[in-house]
Amino acid sequence: MQKPSIPKGTRDFSPEEMAKRNYIFNTIREVYHLYGFQQIETPAMENLSTLMGKYGEEGDKLLFKILNSGDCFSGITDEELLERNPVRFGVKACEKGLRYDLTVPFARYVVQHRNDITFPFKRYQIQPVWRADRPQKGRYREFYQCDGDVVGSDSLINEVELIQIMDEVFHRFGIRVCIKMNNRKILSGIAEIIGEADKIVDITVAIDKLDKIGLDNVNEELRSKGLSEEAIARLQPIIMLSGSNREKLAVLKEQLATSEIAVKGIEEMTFILDRIDQLPMHSELELDLTLARGLNYYTGAIFEVKALDVQIGSITGGGRYDNLTGVFGMDGVSGVGISFGADRIFDVLNQLDLYPVDSLKTTQLLFVNFGEKEESYLLPIIARVRAAGIRTELFPESAKMKKQMGYADTKKIPYVAIVGETEMNEGKINLKNMITGEQTPVTVEELIAKF
């Protein structure tokens, strides 16, 4: 018989992996709650009319479409079937698809429920998304996103708080990070100043690769996109900007003084830095002009978090966008949000071995089972122990001692309680420490107190 399997690009999670993942989700959840964010969930599937056309042509191709239930051929002619055109067939045979991210469903949610929502609306969402991508190392077809957004407020205090949230989450994980920040308005201003305003996307895509391919190759790429030598020369001091955040801002202020949009971006950046300077921060906040992110999407501040002790891509990112809900006919709702990369954080915590011991929530105490008489004696005691919050198991059969001890070992249960005829008569529990092997007779009260 063939062994069962799962679809390519998906994963099973073992109990240990789930304990680790829950530790990640719960930590993020707790910090969101501290800042007044509330959780929502949206369905795994959305109407295709909601999803199509929101992610560009590439994104549309990566949507998992769901065949209409019942007769999916209804409304399709024989000629159309013989055409074997998957795109045209999909349009008629599929009305729903699996969500591709959490942002578009969130925008749909805000528009649909706008009369019941209090603005500014601070929401977070931790759910899986699906992409019909080619699976490879670290890229899956089903993965989780942990998004937090504030919509319906232009205030830059929201950016300041999101920086604090990122800082606090990684501090709790014990991961050393650098939070990088840039502003889309500054990037637009740079393109404007060097006389290449329409090449903003080409410029930022090239600059974004600076730490991967180096300055010469970045300039080469800019040439290949048709930038003049003069424009490239004017870009150099900006690309190679160094010094403290304040020093960088001073240079930008001077270089970009004639661009109205850049000046606005520099003001926003200064406001955020002024506020952050008054706050206790564990991580470094770095102004990084090479940070571009998915540019056609963002309109203000952009963020990215890099782990300092592990080679891995960004582990959190986000930014300010001006018109989240415009695609659904509700204009003028500005928002700012971040998304924690749970899978990458999982890898970082694994590599650095940073999971706290108690995060795995394994059984703390196993009661050995000697038979029916002992069982009925122990059940009320075990109920008391569990009521005290101690994670406890009773081995379900009176199997050989070796088997029961082996079970405790495999499950890494630190303590085993042995209660036979003698212990029952004395009202004691023989508590065995599985690591040191030492045994101590204790009362139920002493047992509870020990844990």
Side-chain angles (χ1 to χ4, degrees):
M1 246 179 75
Q2 197 189 351
K3 253 173 88 175
S5 62
I6 56 174
K8 266 203 182 88
T10 62
R11 293 165 290 175
D12 285 326
F13 296 111
S14 67
E16 188 177 342
E17 285 168 327
M18 275 316 298
K20 290 177 170 182
R21 287 171 72 79
N22 284 332
Y23 165 67
I24 294 172
F25 295 145
N26 292 339
T27 304
I28 293 171
R29 198 176 273 128
E30 279 167 17
V31 177
Y32 275 143
H33 284 162
L34 271 182
Y35 285 81
F37 284 68
Q38 293 176 295
Q39 186 171 17
I40 66 164
E41 287 200 344
T42 59
M45 56 183 172
E46 293 273 351
N47 292 324
L48 277 178
S49 55
T50 300
L51 301 173
M52 294 292 279
K54 311 297 189 298
Y55 306 107
E57 209 175 314
E58 267 314 288
D60 280 355
K61 285 184 192 152
L62 298 181
L63 286 171
F64 274 112
K65 299 175 180 68
I66 298 168
L67 276 179
N68 295 338
S69 42
D71 181 5
C72 64
F73 293 112
S74 70
I76 299 176
T77 64
D78 291 355
E79 287 77 38
E80 286 171 324
L81 279 175
L82 288 168
E83 246 190 332
R84 301 175 74 94
N85 180 325
V87 177
R88 285 243 270 285
F89 174 74
V91 168
K92 291 200 163 178
C94 307
E95 286 166 9
K96 297 180 280 294
L98 295 178
R99 60 164 175 255
Y100 177 90
D101 73 355
L102 299 176
T103 307
V104 167
F106 174 48
R108 189 252 327 134
Y109 178 93
V110 171
V111 175
Q112 198 177 330
H113 300 277
R114 60 177 136 190
N115 297 329
D116 318 313
I117 289 173
T118 308
F119 292 102
F121 182 41
K122 302 168 97 164
R123 88 83 170 86
Y124 75 92
Q125 201 168 343
I126 301 176
Q127 285 185 282
V129 299
W130 293 269
R131 296 183 184 179
D133 223 339
R134 202 171 274 143
Q136 48 189 330
K137 188 182 172 355
R139 177 172 288 176
Y140 302 99
R141 286 177 166 172
E142 178 186 61
F143 56 95
Y144 269 76
Q145 289 187 336
C146 311
D147 288 16
D149 290 80
V150 187
V151 296
S153 163
D154 294 332
S155 166
L156 293 171
I157 288 297
N158 298 315
E159 274 84 338
V160 172
E161 291 205 334
L162 286 171
I163 291 170
Q164 289 178 276
I165 286 171
M166 293 185 276
D167 180 57
E168 178 62 25
V169 165
F170 289 109
H171 176 61
R172 289 187 180 198
F173 285 143
I175 300 174
R176 291 196 322 122
V177 297
C178 174
I179 301 171
K180 292 175 178 288
M181 177 170 77
N182 197 0
N183 194 300
R184 170 67 206 264
K185 296 184 177 80
I186 294 177
L187 291 170
S188 299
I190 292 169
E192 194 183 292
I193 289 274
I194 64 169
E196 303 279 4
D198 54 334
K199 296 232 164 72
I200 171 78
V201 175
D202 292 335
I203 293 170
T204 47
V205 164
I207 292 179
D208 208 15
K209 297 179 186 162
L210 184 67
D211 52 351
K212 286 191 196 79
I213 62 176
L215 184 62
D216 294 344
N217 290 330
V218 167
N219 290 336
E220 207 38 64
E221 185 169 323
L222 291 169
R223 273 183 206 105
S224 74
K225 296 290 183 197
L227 264 80
S228 68
E229 288 302 324
E230 188 199 350
I232 292 174
R234 295 190 65 178
L235 256 183
Q236 300 311 296
I238 295 169
I239 298 181
M240 297 311 290
L241 206 54
S242 62
S244 71
N245 291 337
R246 300 291 179 176
E247 287 162 359
K248 287 178 188 172
L249 277 178
V251 173
L252 289 174
K253 222 169 180 166
E254 199 180 307
Q255 302 260 348
L256 305 177
T258 56
S259 162
E260 202 180 314
I261 188 159
V263 169
K264 182 95 183 73
I266 293 165
E267 282 170 7
E268 291 182 5
M269 202 75 116
T270 308
F271 177 95
I272 294 169
L273 284 175
D274 286 347
R275 298 301 179 278
I276 289 292
D277 281 350
Q278 302 168 359
L279 299 166
M281 285 273 290
H282 309 284
S283 323
E284 174 192 0
L285 178 62
E286 184 198 333
L287 175 51
D288 181 359
L289 278 194
T290 65
L291 172 62
R293 291 196 69 75
L295 256 193
N296 41 4
Y297 187 73
Y298 295 113
T299 51
I302 34 187
F303 306 110
E304 201 159 273
V305 177
K306 285 268 196 264
L308 296 176
D309 302 317
V310 172
Q311 279 302 112
I312 198 163
S314 86
I315 52 179
T316 296
R320 163 75 64 176
Y321 40 84
D322 264 352
N323 200 0
L324 173 79
T325 53
V327 287
F328 298 115
M330 179 182 171
D331 278 340
V333 177
S334 176
V336 58
I338 53 173
S339 185
F340 288 96
D343 292 298
R344 283 182 172 175
I345 293 171
F346 180 85
D347 290 343
V348 172
L349 289 171
N350 268 341
Q351 280 186 49
L352 301 176
D353 195 17
L354 287 174
Y355 289 99
V357 181
D358 63 343
S359 72
L360 300 181
K361 298 274 182 261
T362 44
T363 303
Q364 296 162 289
L365 177 64
L366 171 75
F367 278 84
V368 172
N369 188 332
F370 286 119
E372 283 184 17
K373 191 169 137 202
E374 287 83 355
E375 253 175 37
S376 56
Y377 173 82
L378 284 178
L379 283 171
I381 292 177
I382 291 171
R384 269 185 72 188
V385 173
R386 283 184 182 140
I390 300 162
R391 299 187 293 276
T392 308
E393 286 184 62
L394 167 66
F395 199 82
E397 292 97 22
S398 55
K400 287 199 170 75
M401 189 71 157
K402 188 176 176 222
K403 183 178 178 181
Q404 300 193 40
M405 288 300 190
Y407 176 82
D409 266 337
T410 313
K411 276 193 79 175
K412 299 192 174 70
I413 300 173
Y415 288 95
V416 169
I418 300 162
V419 180
E421 193 80 35
T422 321
E423 287 82 7
M424 279 161 57
N425 292 335
E426 293 173 2
K428 287 281 173 79
I429 294 162
N430 206 349
L431 189 65
K432 179 175 182 173
N433 180 325
M434 292 297 281
I435 295 155
T436 63
E438 79 182 272
Q439 297 193 25
T440 326
V442 291
T443 61
V444 181
E445 288 74 20
E446 287 168 342
L447 176 88
I448 290 171
K450 183 171 177 56
F451 282 90

